[in-house]
Amino acid sequence: MNDEEMKRLLDRLARVEGQVRGLRKMLEEQRCCEDVLTQLLAARSGLESAGQLVLERHLNDCVLGGAEVDERTKEALRETLRLWSRHSGPAG
């Protein structure tokens, strides 16, 4: 992972960390459920975004690392992962 990617990942995780601290405070203050749920969704989205960055790096470095795969195929795999993650939220 290069420096720019690492910074993006760490920034996202720092944002999530702040959101989780905010959630705890909201619960302690007995804030309304709607506000808490909104904050929960934001934190979950941030974690999913961080996970996507790690997954893309894993795909590039570990799965396809030395493989001779053309760029078009790599991009198709990345897009498939994006689609999957966009539509694979928790079942409700």
Side-chain angles (χ1 to χ4, degrees), residues 1 8-9 11-17 19-20 37-57 78 81-92:
M1 190 173 289
R8 283 182 26 213
L9 179 60
D11 287 348
R12 286 179 197 265
L13 291 176
R15 214 168 315 138
V16 170
E17 183 180 11
Q19 290 168 327
V20 171
L37 288 170
T38 298
Q39 191 71 358
L40 278 168
L41 289 171
R44 184 176 82 179
S45 176
L47 280 175
E48 288 171 358
S49 180
Q52 184 69 32
L53 287 173
V54 173
L55 185 58
E56 284 184 20
R57 182 53 35 215
R78 287 186 200 104
L81 286 173
R82 282 196 276 293
L83 278 171
W84 177 261
S85 90
R86 213 175 304 142
H87 299 289
S88 65

